[in-house]
Amino acid sequence: MTVKRRIAGQLAAVGAITMVISGTATAEPAAGGVWTETSTGQVSVMTLAQPSSSKTWAGGAEVVENPENGSIRFTPTMYERDLARGGAWKKTTLRGADTWDSRINDIATAADGSAFFVGDQESDGGGALIGRYVAGAWQLTADSGLPAGTVNASLLSVSSVSGREAWAVGQGYTEDTFTQVPVVQHWDGRRWRPVRIPGSTNWLPTQVEELAPNDVWIVGMDFDTSQSVAMHWDGRRWTRTPTPAFPDSAILFDVAARTPTDVWAVGWSRDTDKQRPAGLALHWDGTSWTQVPLPAGTFSLQAVTLRPNGGIAVVGGNDDAAVGMSWTPTEGWRSLGLPESDPEFPLGVSSVVSSGTHLTVGGWHYRSSGSGDSFKSGAIFTK
């Protein structure tokens, strides 16, 4: 996805809603608070992470356009905000970043203070970009776990429980036939190794979430059936857990797990190939996935984060407005009250992270025209 716009993963401007696990969703007023917007200029913000209660990381890519031929190059870029040190967003030093043409697609943090980020494959067919946070600094390396003959690969997601235990997923293409292939990798503390999940190879893993070495979720889409996929690792084997099927298609973009019996996944579904994708929210109770009803007109959901007291928050949008919502078991859904879009430079959002009562949302402004949309500037919203 160029400039990681994630158009397919946006919410429609549906206002605030209340949700129950079954039944009809109804409207509720927006939650209080004021958003502060920080421009990141030519850096498109694609992912957010919270390494501590006071610190937030925002990762993405500086979009560099060649004025002679219009080609686009990406430079992996990261910002940091530390509330204990004034709370201003500052660009983080990434040594060697200027040698990569890659985005930072996802960041994972662990309780032991370690962290990873993942990006795109080198143009010469080498490894994909992986960053490791060691002794307070980021080390950029080329991933060693791509299957032989893989080209144009992108690691879309990473999740870890320690510096010695992590998973990364994404997609690539075979060099000879340019057939799309799933990429699943495991970090054992020394190297990344490719993992082949039994079953169809014609699927897209979009997000991974590791609760423990024996409790890992991967979500995405099965291209053979055009339906969503939710795979689970119990430490011994991978199992595909049934998700609701739709007449046309469905995909899951994000997954967040609080406990083995409290897991959320979001994406979109369609009943016909001409239908605008409708928002899809699923909840796992330890036994099965349940579809969570959303108001009529809700567009695709892109990202979900866990909040205190059993709550969650989601973000997304459509071409008219960016939308964010929070949910608690007692209050249901409430609007996050994201800023209204500037008609000249609409707002898109694709990532959200929570720490206590604080929320951070990552996104961008873009130019919309008859010939398509183009990136204007990145933005980070804090509340």
Side-chain angles (χ1 to χ4, degrees):
M1 288 170 283
T2 58
V3 197
K4 201 68 173 182
R5 176 138 191 256
R6 295 181 175 184
I7 299 175
Q10 304 297 312
L11 280 170
V14 296
I17 58 175
T18 295
M19 181 274 292
V20 292
I21 295 299
S22 61
T24 304
T26 57
E28 284 292 336
V34 177
W35 289 96
T36 299
E37 177 176 354
T38 300
S39 174
T40 55
Q42 289 303 296
V43 175
S44 178
V45 178
M46 306 166 191
T47 180
L48 299 162
Q50 204 95 43
S52 70
S53 60
S54 66
K55 188 179 294 184
T56 306
W57 287 329
E62 182 179 3
V63 182
V64 182
E65 182 175 357
N66 187 321
E68 295 183 0
N69 58 23
S71 63
I72 297 293
R73 178 182 174 85
F74 301 110
T75 301
T77 307
M78 184 177 295
Y79 287 86
E80 178 179 297
R81 181 188 190 221
D82 192 342
L83 295 177
R85 297 185 176 182
W89 287 100
K90 299 179 180 179
K91 189 173 289 189
T92 302
T93 299
L94 299 178
R95 298 186 184 279
D98 56 352
T99 66
W100 283 87
D101 181 4
S102 172
R103 307 158 298 179
I104 295 177
N105 295 324
D106 198 21
I107 307 171
T109 61
D112 64 357
S114 64
F116 296 86
F117 69 67
V118 293
D120 306 314
Q121 186 179 14
E122 296 174 296
S123 58
D124 61 3
L129 173 65
I130 289 187
R132 289 182 60 208
Y133 192 67
V134 180
W138 286 100
Q139 299 177 358
L140 277 60
T141 61
D143 152 50
S144 61
L146 290 178
T150 302
V151 297
N152 287 23
S154 290
L155 295 176
L156 303 176
S157 175
V158 61
S159 185
S160 66
V161 294
S162 73
R164 295 181 293 178
E165 170 66 28
W167 292 83
V169 302
Q171 66 172 350
Y173 297 86
T174 56
E175 188 174 16
D176 50 355
T177 63
F178 212 67
T179 301
Q180 184 169 308
V181 292
V183 173
V184 179
Q185 301 183 159
H186 179 250
W187 170 258
D188 61 9
R190 293 182 298 175
R191 61 175 295 184
W192 290 93
R193 300 179 185 272
V195 175
R196 189 181 185 281
I197 297 179
S200 172
T201 60
N202 191 25
W203 67 293
L204 169 66
T206 59
Q207 196 77 197
V208 59
E209 174 82 333
E210 182 175 19
L211 268 175
N214 63 349
D215 194 354
V216 183
W217 287 97
I218 297 177
V219 298
M221 183 180 194
D222 185 333
F223 292 130
D224 287 334
T225 64
S226 297
Q227 299 297 324
S228 63
V229 171
M231 303 290 297
H232 183 257
W233 171 253
D234 64 3
R236 295 182 301 169
R237 63 177 64 89
W238 286 98
T239 303
R240 180 168 177 172
T241 58
T243 53
F246 296 85
D248 182 74
S249 56
I251 185 172
L252 294 171
F253 288 116
D254 201 8
V255 59
R258 196 186 322 270
T259 69
T261 60
D262 186 8
V263 184
W264 291 83
V266 297
W268 60 252
S269 67
R270 293 195 308 187
D271 291 336
T272 72
D273 61 358
K274 299 185 183 304
Q275 176 190 354
R276 190 173 80 162
L280 176 62
L282 304 179
H283 182 262
W284 174 262
D285 61 5
T287 303
S288 61
W289 289 100
T290 300
Q291 183 181 355
V292 177
L294 295 167
T298 301
F299 196 46
S300 169
L301 302 181
Q302 177 61 38
V304 57
T305 188
L306 304 176
R307 302 205 72 191
N309 304 315
I312 63 170
V314 297
V315 297
N318 64 0
D319 292 338
D320 300 319
V323 174
M325 297 177 288
S326 65
W327 178 88
T328 65
T330 56
E331 295 184 340
W333 289 97
R334 291 180 178 272
S335 170
L336 295 178
L338 288 175
E340 296 289 333
S341 283
D342 181 337
E344 186 177 3
F345 303 115
L347 172 67
V349 293
S350 63
S351 53
V352 59
V353 70
S354 170
S355 176
T357 59
H358 297 285
L359 275 173
T360 305
V361 172
W364 62 92
H365 292 281
Y366 60 96
R367 301 179 183 89
S368 186
S369 66
S371 59
D373 299 332
S374 61
F375 175 79
K376 178 185 178 292
S377 61
I380 304 172
F381 297 89
T382 52
K383 181 179 180 179

